Amino acid sequence: MAKFTYDIDHEIGENNIRMLGMDIHNPVFFSSAILITLFVVAALLAPMGAAGILQGARGWTISHADWLFSVSIAIIFLFCVMLAVTPFGRIRLGGPTASPEFGTLSWLAMLFSAGVGIGLLFWGAAEPLAYFTGWSGTPLNAQAGTEEARQLAMSATIFHWGLHPWAVYALMGLALAFFTFNKGLPLTIRSCFFPLLGDRVWGWSGHIIDTLAVLATLFGLATSLGFGAMQAASGLNLLFGIDPGVTTQIGIIIGVTSFATLSVIRGLDGGIKVLSNINIVLAIILLLFVLIAGPTVAILIGIPVNTLHYLADFVPLTSWFDRPDEDWYQTWTIFYWAWWISWSPFVGMFIARVSKGRTIRQFLSAVLIMPVGVSVVWFTVFGTTAIRQAQAGVGNIAEDMTDASLVLFHMLENLPMPELVTGFAIILLLIFFITSSDSGSLVVDTITAGGKLHAPVAQRIFWATMEGLVAAILLYGGGGQVLGALQAGAITTALPFTFVLLLCCVSLYKGLRHEMDSLMQRTPS
């Protein structure tokens, strides 16, 4: 196996250019910037053509590679479990004497905010309600509106946000953290493949890997920022009667991008950590309010019951053989698997950045188990409340269940103090977007600086601004249709990146074996 010897400053210096206050990794920075610009121009000049091509590619990917996504995510999950329960779990990220950079609560808060926080707020009520009512199919072909449909609605939702997606994030995060903090390699995606490619990772193969990671991260964030602006504008329309059109949406993007830029400038400790802690407190307040104001008894009973149903339905929902619900399975489950895979460079790198000092067992326990517990509680509280309201025919939620961006607000309308609570939810939504944006900017900064942990401030400002600019331009030029095309493009990139993740399992195993052998040689007999 190749030796791990790497002079970061020397190697990065060969490709890095200092200009305009930025520390630019030449091939990756300029390739990413040019490709992003070309895509935006093409999408604006021919929005229908771009949408058609990318939507077609997404459809082909989801329908023909469903088995590959399912098998790959199952393998990745089992690989993570193996690492956690074997002696590999004792290896500490950063070396035997490394200590955590952040306290446990702040660390967990940052994992939550960067990974799934905004998605939980958006889909907390909408996804269980969609499965229960069957407006987009039901899991395992359950009869819509029945008790079986309700149980499977909760199981399937938790399934989509639980162990499987976080195993993907955990793999990428662990590989990056290990090769960076234990082996001295730069914090870039290419470093994960050093045991397989050796010094070739510093050439064009590595440049291509990192450029794809930058594009997937930026396009994924721009898509979420655009769709999030549309949801926030809908909430403001319900609350204040503000026109939810493009002008309002772009104004929201400008505001979110401005705050995200300030947070990125302040760095991890003074920016992202503070906002993540605020996010968690506000999310808990909203959760407790819905728990108390909603069907409290049904929710409290549902938490352990839904956990048991999730475990019981785990295998049937995982299986890709002879699915009775093939349309639902491809529309929802495979879409989610592809989306999580396409986001793994962004979330995985951010998780790696904040996880130095944890053992592999601690890392995997937190990254796998914590989200499942959060998902069970969150979806039970919001999903049970929404389903009960729909069953009772209460308010707008019973009449308009197919617009996912409005379900949360329709649900809150039926609870006490609707205006106040809706405004609170919009604020929480916006702060989640800020933390997603600034954590994504931090990731792109790091990659385009060649893996340096502290990119110059000017570079942080550039990429934070670029995210908002791409989202705003695409909204102005084509609205949701162009953003949908961008999302379809991100999904399509998941197909080749699936093979990258499987190779990452092999590479990480080789790296961990090397580490174990080194530790055993240093231990007195």
Side-chain angles (χ1 to χ4, degrees):
M1 179 179 174
K3 293 191 300 179
F4 291 95
T5 55
Y6 188 67
D7 184 345
I8 294 178
D9 291 331
H10 172 69
E11 295 289 348
I12 290 178
E14 291 185 351
N15 288 311
N16 275 32
I17 300 173
R18 294 184 179 275
M19 57 182 292
L20 301 176
M22 295 189 286
D23 192 356
I24 297 171
H25 190 264
N26 181 16
V28 176
F29 184 98
F30 289 112
S31 298
S32 302
I34 291 170
L35 290 172
I36 290 165
T37 303
L38 289 175
F39 175 85
V40 171
V41 171
L44 291 177
L45 292 177
M48 296 296 290
I53 293 172
L54 292 175
Q55 294 288 4
R58 168 191 155 171
W60 187 93
T61 298
I62 289 178
S63 62
H64 288 80
D66 52 354
W67 65 272
L68 176 64
F69 289 131
S70 294
V71 171
S72 299
I73 285 192
I75 290 173
I76 291 169
F77 169 67
L78 293 174
F79 179 74
C80 289
V81 172
M82 182 273 292
L83 294 182
V85 300
T86 59
F88 289 129
R90 297 197 299 267
I91 295 175
R92 186 172 296 277
L93 300 174
T97 61
S99 58
E101 186 177 357
F102 303 98
T104 300
L105 292 179
S106 293
W107 177 53
L108 294 176
M110 286 189 284
L111 299 184
F112 177 80
S113 296
V116 297
I118 187 62
L120 292 182
L121 192 61
F122 186 97
W123 289 107
E127 190 169 341
L129 185 63
Y131 300 161
F132 171 73
T133 59
W135 65 261
S136 185
T138 57
L140 302 179
N141 266 4
Q143 182 66 38
T146 63
E147 178 60 20
E148 180 189 14
R150 187 197 65 77
Q151 293 177 358
L152 279 169
M154 300 307 302
S155 295
T157 303
I158 298 167
F159 175 72
H160 289 154
W161 295 82
L163 290 170
H164 286 73
W166 279 93
V168 176
Y169 292 163
L171 170 66
M172 184 56 68
L174 179 59
L176 285 164
F178 172 74
F179 287 115
T180 298
F181 300 129
N182 291 70
K183 298 302 183 182
L185 305 184
L187 186 60
T188 60
I189 307 299
R190 70 177 77 194
S191 296
C192 298
F193 302 96
F194 186 83
L196 297 179
L197 299 177
D199 288 336
R200 284 173 294 176
V201 297
W202 316 128
W204 277 104
S205 59
H207 300 333
I208 291 172
I209 291 171
D210 283 347
T211 300
L212 287 174
V214 171
L215 295 177
T217 299
L218 195 74
F219 285 161
L221 287 170
T223 302
S224 294
L225 188 57
F227 282 129
M230 295 169 70
Q231 184 192 26
S234 298
L236 291 173
N237 175 255
L238 289 175
L239 193 59
F240 302 112
I242 297 174
D243 178 16
V246 173
T247 301
T248 301
Q249 295 166 16
I250 292 178
I252 291 170
I253 289 175
I254 292 173
V256 168
T257 302
S258 299
F259 280 104
T261 303
L262 291 174
S263 177
V264 167
I265 291 172
R266 291 178 59 85
L268 266 176
D269 201 61
I272 297 175
K273 187 183 83 169
V274 172
L275 284 177
S276 296
N277 290 339
I278 293 173
N279 268 340
I280 293 302
V281 173
L282 296 182
I284 291 174
I285 291 173
L286 182 62
L287 181 77
L288 292 176
F289 172 81
V290 177
L291 170 63
I292 295 170
T296 306
V297 175
I299 291 171
L300 294 176
I301 293 173
I303 291 173
V305 170
N306 290 338
T307 303
L308 293 175
H309 281 300
Y310 165 60
L311 296 176
D313 297 329
F314 190 87
V315 173
L317 289 171
T318 300
S319 175
W320 60 93
F321 290 113
D322 298 323
R323 293 285 300 226
D325 55 348
E326 184 174 2
D327 289 341
W328 177 90
Y329 168 66
Q330 292 183 348
T331 301
W332 287 96
T333 300
I334 299 304
F335 171 82
Y336 267 124
W337 289 175
W339 186 245
W340 300 139
I341 289 171
S342 70
W343 269 57
S344 60
F346 155 44
V347 181
M349 182 172 287
F350 183 76
I351 291 174
R353 179 66 180 83
V354 300
S355 297
K356 183 179 181 181
R358 314 284 172 178
T359 66
I360 288 179
R361 187 165 293 123
Q362 291 170 340
F363 176 92
L364 291 174
S365 297
V367 177
L368 289 179
I369 296 174
M370 185 272 292
V372 176
V374 171
S375 296
V376 169
V377 174
W378 188 273
F379 286 112
T380 299
V381 171
F382 286 83
T384 300
T385 303
I387 289 173
R388 285 297 184 95
Q389 290 180 0
Q391 286 177 312
V394 176
N396 291 321
I397 198 170
E399 301 172 1
D400 183 15
M401 293 179 284
T402 59
D403 188 347
S405 67
L406 292 175
V407 171
L408 172 66
F409 302 127
H410 285 330
M411 184 200 76
L412 296 176
E413 285 178 341
N414 302 320
L415 300 179
M417 301 179 293
E419 293 84 3
L420 177 63
V421 179
T422 298
F424 184 88
I426 293 173
I427 292 172
L428 178 58
L429 180 73
L430 293 175
I431 297 177
F432 267 128
F433 274 116
I434 293 170
T435 53
S436 294
S437 178
D438 57 13
S439 55
S441 299
L442 184 72
V443 167
V444 176
D445 296 338
T446 303
I447 297 175
T448 56
K452 292 185 177 180
L453 298 181
H454 303 286
V457 171
Q459 198 155 329
R460 302 181 205 172
I461 294 173
F462 175 84
W463 286 113
T465 304
M466 182 66 76
E467 289 171 22
L469 188 62
V470 169
I473 291 175
L474 293 180
L475 269 178
Y476 179 79
Q481 184 180 48
V482 175
L483 287 174
L486 186 60
Q487 185 185 58
I491 294 299
T492 305
T493 62
L495 182 58
F497 211 82
T498 300
F499 297 102
V500 172
L501 289 173
L502 293 175
L503 287 174
C504 188
C505 291
V506 179
S507 185
L508 178 58
Y509 178 79
K510 290 173 69 70
L512 292 174
R513 286 295 311 170
H514 180 273
E515 181 80 353
M516 288 289 288
D517 292 343
S518 299
L519 291 174
M520 291 178 64
Q521 290 174 5
R522 292 198 297 265
T523 302
S525 56

